[in-house]
């Protein structure tokens, strides 16, 4: 059975997304710090889609699908917007962000730090961010 | 997001409650902006009611660091849960912002 979540591109959807990821991880026996890290990375990737790709257009939607393959947990985010190069983007260094006084710029760095695999699969009408996290043996 | 505000002798304590994400951080940013514009640049944020923080939440504090330092002020964070502290630690932001255990420790940070 495929369990997925589709939400409008509103910042209000972020809390719903986090709760969905938390529940799915629980059902897939992923908990503790690993779960916290996956929830945060997913929040960051979805925020990027919602705010930067769709400018919070509530008529647009993104779809999440979470599954486990052996010792890797995957989060797939399906979006119809323009794909942002999450996998190859070089975020600014922290001192640069501090001196510029900007509020953004930390999210991509977090995703790249927290996740072990970041792929973008482009299709004709949509693309998928595929984020993978290698699970510790205890999970 | 509920943000309680208390004025002490020479600093302000903010007590936000909930999850600090791209949605709620806008409100916290607005509160801090008003304080800074009013010249209240010694700001203590009690994280006791914060169960989650994303980059947007951390970005609020980072964005004020230089401005507040230039005004001889300081931002001090306290009562942080382990999971929230881990996020600051992950990016090394705990080296840039004062993070202390409790109100007493925060008060010491503001001693002139």
């Amino acid at each position: 059975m495929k369990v997925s979540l589709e939400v409008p591109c509103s910042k209000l959807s972020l809390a719903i997304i986090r709760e969905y990821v938390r529940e799915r991880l629980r059902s897939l026996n992923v908990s503790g710090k690993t779960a916290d890290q996956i929830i945060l990375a997913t929040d960051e990737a979805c925020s990027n889609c919602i705010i930067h790709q769709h400018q919070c257009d509530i008529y647009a939607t993104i779809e999440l699908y979470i599954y486990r393959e052996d010792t890797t947990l995957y989060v797939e985010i399906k979006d119809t917007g323009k794909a942002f190069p999450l996998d190859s983007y070089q975020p600014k260094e922290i001192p640069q962000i501090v001196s510029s006084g900007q509020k953004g710029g930390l999210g991509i760095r977090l995703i790249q730090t927290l996740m072990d695999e970041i792929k973008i699969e482009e299709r004709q009408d949509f693309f998928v961010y595929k984020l993978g996290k290698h699970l510790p043996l205890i999970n | 997001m509920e943000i309680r505000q208390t004025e002490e002798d020479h600093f302000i304590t903010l007590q936000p409650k909930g999850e600090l994400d791209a949605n709620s951080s806008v409100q916290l940013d607005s509160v801090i902006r008003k304080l800074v514009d009013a010249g209240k640049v010694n700001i203590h944020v009690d994280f006791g009611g914060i169960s989650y923080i994303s980059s947007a939440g951390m970005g609020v504090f980072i964005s004020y660091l230089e401005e507040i330092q230039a005004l001889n002020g300081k931002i001090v964070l306290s009562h942080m849960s382990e999971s929230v502290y881990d996020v600051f630690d992950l990016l090394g932001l705990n080296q840039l912002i004062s993070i202390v255990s409790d109100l007493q420790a925060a008060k010491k940070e503001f001693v002139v």
Side-chain angles (χ1 to χ4, degrees), chain A residues 11-12 14 18 22 33 36 40 43-44 47 51 94 97-99 101-103 106-107 109-110 113-114, chain B residues 19 21-23 26 29 52-55 58-59 62-66 82-83 86-87 90-91 93 96:
Chain A
K11 286 197 272 188
L12 292 173
L14 294 171
R18 291 194 297 274
R22 195 172 286 123
K33 278 192 179 183
D36 289 343
L40 177 57
D43 185 346
E44 298 295 346
S47 295
I51 299 166
I94 303 286
I97 295 173
V98 172
S99 62
Q102 69 182 73
K103 292 176 176 60
L106 300 171
R109 182 178 293 278
L110 272 177
T113 304
L114 293 170
Chain B
E19 297 189 318
D21 65 4
N23 189 40
V26 177
D29 180 48
Y52 172 85
I53 191 165
S54 72
S55 68
M58 290 190 296
I62 289 296
S63 69
Y64 285 103
L65 274 184
E66 292 229 333
E82 188 182 345
S83 61
D86 282 348
V87 185
L90 198 65
L91 296 180
L93 302 182
L96 301 174

Side-chain angles (χ1 to χ4, degrees), chain A residues 9-77:
Chain A
C9 287
S10 160
K11 286 197 272 188
L12 292 173
S13 295
L14 294 171
I16 297 166
I17 289 168
R18 291 194 297 274
E19 188 53 32
Y20 165 75
V21 178
R22 195 172 286 123
E23 282 300 317
R24 282 295 292 151
L25 293 178
R26 196 173 293 143
S27 69
L28 294 166
N29 295 319
V30 180
S31 58
K33 278 192 179 183
T34 307
D36 289 343
Q37 292 176 346
I38 295 168
I39 291 166
L40 177 57
T42 306
D43 185 346
E44 298 295 346
C46 291
S47 295
N48 189 275
C49 292
I50 290 171
I51 299 166
H52 301 295
Q53 306 305 110
H54 289 286
Q55 288 80 44
C56 300
D57 172 9
I58 58 166
Y59 296 104
T61 61
I62 56 172
E63 192 176 332
L64 273 83
Y65 175 44
I66 298 174
Y67 58 98
R68 183 174 177 160
E69 279 181 4
D70 297 325
T71 57
T72 303
L73 189 290
Y74 289 102
V75 176
E76 290 190 358
I77 303 164

Side-chain angles (χ1 to χ4, degrees), chain B residues 95-112:
Chain B
Q95 305 298 318
L96 301 174
I97 304 175
S98 296
I99 302 175
V100 300
S101 56
D102 53 25
L103 178 62
Q104 289 309 315
K107 281 181 178 173
K108 288 179 186 167
E109 293 283 319
F110 293 114
V111 170
V112 183

